[in-house]
Amino acid sequence: MDLSLLFFIVLGIIAIIGAIGTVASKNPVTSAMSLVLHFFMLAGLYLTLQAQFMAVLQILVYAGAIMVLVIFVIMLLNLGKESQAEGGGGIRKYAGLAFGAVLGTQVVLLLVLSHNKFGELQSKAAEISTVEAIGQVLFSDYLFQFETITLLLLVAVMGALILARRRRSHESYSN
Amino acid sequence: MEAISSVPLGYYLSLSAIIFAIGAVGVLTRRNAIIIFMCIELMLNSVNLTLVAFSTFLGDATGQIFVLFVMAVAAAEAAIGLAIFLAMYRNNKTINVDEINLLKW
């Protein structure tokens, strides 16, 4: 067994553990921390794919910005454990688990059966994974989409401000 | 260095499929809106892994551009979604999705 396969297996197992911890834990803060662990393992997987820029962005944007926002909101809302609500729908839980099992086995089976289609593909990341190559494609072929994304982010910031603003139309300073 | 990564492409795709299924189970079974939101992030990230794997194995940088766009959309979604959760919590004192049925007929 060579080294990159070993890295892949270790990172993949920890990533799956993080994902299961996100889904299964009762405490939202534990769930968020498991998700941060999952994001770091995913950045490591990007490194095994020779996509260094994506790994850095994964840590900066997901584990840095988005998860800090999520944890901030969890702390702000002061959410405890989900005690009363989670016990009710037993059938929904089993239906969801059955759906997930069917979906997972279906996709993995599909990949295993079509394995010879991917067999001849070899990794050729050396010429595409630099920041220079990505920027070349981003600012030539996808320039319009890039500008649209900036517009989307601007609208999202304005929308978040309007949605989270406290409205004082009926009562003034009641809380 | 003729073969940089000796891990086959199917392994990455299988891992991504497993993570996507875990995220889908979370969206279906959990009732806390913030945890549902984090499970959606999980599913988005598994798709990102697929895109980066294909980008590397096909030698085309376009997949990584798409991952960039998915990250930007996820950031916008996080800002808007968490603002909606704050507004919901302010009105209803809960973010349990079973008790929020304003738009349900």
Side-chain angles (χ1 to χ4, degrees):
Chain A
M1 179 184 293
D2 65 336
L3 203 58
S4 62
L5 190 60
L6 188 69
F7 269 129
F8 172 81
I9 289 171
V10 170
L11 289 172
I13 286 174
I14 300 177
I16 289 175
I17 289 172
I20 291 175
T22 304
V23 171
S25 94
K26 292 284 180 201
N27 192 347
V29 178
T30 314
S31 188
M33 286 304 163
S34 304
L35 194 57
V36 171
L37 174 73
H38 174 79
F39 285 162
F40 272 95
M41 291 309 121
L42 222 54
L45 284 171
Y46 290 164
L47 283 182
T48 66
L49 281 168
Q50 305 277 316
Q52 295 93 352
F53 183 57
M54 286 302 129
V56 171
L57 272 191
Q58 173 82 17
I59 291 176
L60 277 182
V61 175
Y62 273 112
I66 293 179
M67 288 319 289
V68 165
L69 205 61
V70 168
I71 290 172
F72 182 75
V73 170
I74 289 172
M75 302 275 182
L76 194 67
L77 299 188
N78 196 11
L79 300 169
K81 297 180 173 57
E82 304 176 18
S83 51
Q84 72 280 8
E86 202 76 19
I91 183 152
R92 182 175 53 211
K93 184 163 290 186
Y94 293 127
L97 283 175
F99 169 78
V102 168
L103 182 67
T105 49
Q106 205 172 21
V107 180
V108 171
L109 206 64
L110 199 67
L111 291 172
V112 168
L113 289 183
S114 66
H115 181 254
N116 49 2
K117 296 272 196 327
F118 299 129
E120 68 268 20
L121 281 179
Q122 282 298 319
S123 169
K124 40 191 164 187
E127 64 266 29
I128 62 149
S129 61
T130 61
V131 182
E132 184 189 352
I134 292 173
Q136 202 87 41
V137 179
L138 181 61
F139 292 113
S140 61
D141 293 345
Y142 293 92
L143 184 62
F144 176 69
Q145 288 88 336
F146 180 76
E147 298 294 340
T148 315
I149 282 291
T150 61
L151 195 66
L152 171 75
L153 286 175
L154 178 68
V155 172
V157 169
M158 288 162 54
L161 280 176
I162 290 171
L163 279 172
R165 189 189 54 183
R166 189 185 299 270
R167 289 181 182 80
R168 294 202 194 92
S169 56
H170 311 303
E171 73 266 18
S172 58
Y173 295 107
S174 66
N175 38 4
Chain B
M1 43 189 269
E2 61 275 3
I4 300 169
S5 173
S6 60
V7 185
L9 177 59
Y11 287 15
Y12 286 103
L13 300 184
S14 302
L15 176 66
S16 161
I18 290 168
I19 292 171
F20 189 91
I22 292 171
V25 169
V27 169
L28 289 175
T29 55
R30 298 306 298 265
R31 297 293 98 196
N32 187 337
I34 290 184
I35 292 183
I36 289 176
F37 171 80
M38 288 193 281
C39 293
I40 292 172
E41 296 289 326
L42 211 61
M43 293 162 78
L44 282 176
N45 269 288
S46 75
V47 176
N48 280 354
L49 181 62
T50 305
L51 285 172
V52 172
F54 269 119
S55 160
T56 300
F57 277 84
L58 294 177
D60 190 352
T62 308
Q64 303 195 11
I65 307 290
F66 283 150
V67 174
L68 212 65
F69 289 158
V70 169
M71 280 182 185
V73 171
E77 175 206 333
I80 295 286
L82 293 173
I84 290 175
F85 294 157
L86 276 179
M88 277 185 341
Y89 188 77
R90 196 175 292 143
N91 287 330
N92 300 338
K93 298 298 169 204
T94 179
I95 54 166
N96 188 340
V97 293
D98 279 342
E99 299 170 24
I100 298 163
N101 47 14
L102 193 64
L103 289 178
K104 193 188 279 182
W105 57 283

